[in-house]
Amino acid sequence: ACGTGEFLRCVQEAFERDCENAASTRSQNRAVASSPSLVRLVGVEPSKEMLEQAQTKFEGTKSGSKRAFGFRRNNIFLQQSPAEHLLLPDSTSAHIVTCTNAFHFFRDKLQALGEMRRILSDKDGTLVITDWCNDYWMVRLYYWMQHLRWHWRILSSPQMQQVSDDAQYYPGPLSSSQLLELVKQAGFSHIEIQKYRVRVFSILPWGMQTLTATKNE
C-alpha cells in the first residue's frame, strides 16, 4: 500500500523505534537490532500524483529509477502500478501485504487479491486488509451519494459516455460477508475479520473492517 505515503511512513517509524528498543535492551535478535535496513518496505500506487506526494514523506537519495528510493535506515521502494497488476516476482516478494482504506477503490477485487497472494511468501505470507464496511448505514449512504454523483457526471459528459463500460464502472465497499467470501475465493486460509466503528471529525460514526489471512494452510 502507498497512497500519499503516510501509512508507509508510520510503519517505517514504528519499525525504527522497535529496532532502537531492541538495541537498547541488547535483544537476542541482533540482526534486526543492528540493521533495520534488512527490512524492505514497498509502496504500490497507480497514481503518479499520489506517488509524488509520497516522495515528500521521506528523506533520502534517489537510487535507480524515479520509482525506487533508498534511505539511510530502511529501504523504501515506491512503484507505480495498479493492485490488479503488481510488478513484483512470485512468492518471494513479501511476508506481509497490507491494504488500508483502498480496497473499495479496486475495480477487479478478486484479481487484486490474486496478485497479493501471488507475491506473498509461501512460508509465512500474511494478508491484512483494513477498509470501509458496507454493513454500516453511513458507509452505504455515502457510497450511494458518490455513485449517483458519478453517474450524473457520465450522463452530463459526452466524452465520458464514449469510454468503455469498464471505465464507467464505479467500485465500492463490501460488506464483511462479501469480503470474507472473496478472500476465500482467492485461495487464502485462516481468515479472521473484525467490524468496528471509528469517529470521523469526532462526530460521524464510520464503519470499518479489518481482515487477516494467510497464504497457505
Side-chain angles (χ1 to χ4, degrees):
C2 181
T4 61
E6 188 63 34
F7 178 75
L8 202 62
R9 185 179 66 173
C10 290
V11 173
Q12 178 200 27
E13 292 174 349
F15 183 72
E16 288 184 347
R17 286 195 300 270
D18 288 345
C19 290
E20 291 171 358
N21 292 336
S24 64
T25 57
R26 296 182 180 181
S27 170
Q28 293 181 353
N29 194 349
R30 295 181 180 179
V32 173
S34 62
S35 184
S37 63
L38 291 176
V39 172
R40 184 176 66 166
L41 301 177
V42 180
V44 178
E45 169 61 46
S47 168
K48 180 181 178 181
E49 290 74 18
M50 287 283 199
L51 285 176
E52 289 174 348
Q53 291 185 50
Q55 294 177 25
T56 65
K57 299 290 196 305
F58 306 102
E59 296 179 359
T61 305
K62 292 182 180 181
S63 63
S65 70
K66 293 182 179 179
R67 299 176 187 170
F69 297 82
F71 296 90
R72 180 175 58 87
R73 297 193 68 182
N74 281 0
N75 290 331
I76 295 179
F77 299 90
L78 307 180
Q79 285 191 345
Q80 184 177 1
S81 71
E84 294 88 346
H85 302 284
L86 298 176
L87 304 177
L88 294 167
D90 295 357
S91 303
T92 59
S93 300
H95 294 284
I96 300 176
V97 169
T98 65
C99 181
T100 305
N101 285 332
F103 197 72
H104 58 280
F105 288 124
F106 298 166
R107 291 181 176 274
D108 191 333
K109 293 177 173 60
L110 185 59
Q111 183 171 336
L113 286 169
E115 282 290 271
M116 294 175 192
R117 189 175 186 277
R118 176 183 66 80
I119 67 171
L120 277 170
S121 167
D122 288 333
K123 182 179 179 181
D124 56 359
T126 300
L127 172 70
V128 181
I129 296 176
T130 294
D131 199 41
W132 303 358
C133 182
N134 215 35
D135 291 344
Y136 296 91
W137 69 267
M138 183 65 76
V139 176
R140 293 196 300 270
L141 176 62
Y142 179 80
Y143 170 70
W144 179 76
M145 294 172 61
Q146 290 295 99
H147 190 265
L148 286 180
R149 178 175 172 268
W150 175 252
H151 280 282
W152 174 255
R153 181 182 174 189
I154 293 174
L155 291 174
S156 60
S157 172
Q159 292 181 341
M160 288 292 292
Q161 293 177 27
Q162 294 176 7
V163 301
S164 66
D165 291 341
D166 182 64
Q168 292 184 19
Y169 169 68
Y170 188 81
L174 302 177
S175 67
S176 57
S177 60
Q178 288 173 326
L179 179 59
L180 183 65
E181 184 59 34
L182 205 62
V183 172
K184 286 181 180 179
Q185 191 176 346
F188 286 91
S189 303
H190 303 106
I191 305 169
E192 297 182 3
I193 191 166
Q194 181 180 7
K195 301 188 298 181
Y196 50 94
R197 289 186 176 92
V198 297
R199 291 286 177 179
V200 180
F201 305 120
S202 302
I203 301 175
L204 299 175
W206 193 254
M208 299 291 294
Q209 56 188 334
T210 294
L211 177 144
T212 61
T214 60
K215 180 175 182 177
N216 296 321
E217 294 286 350

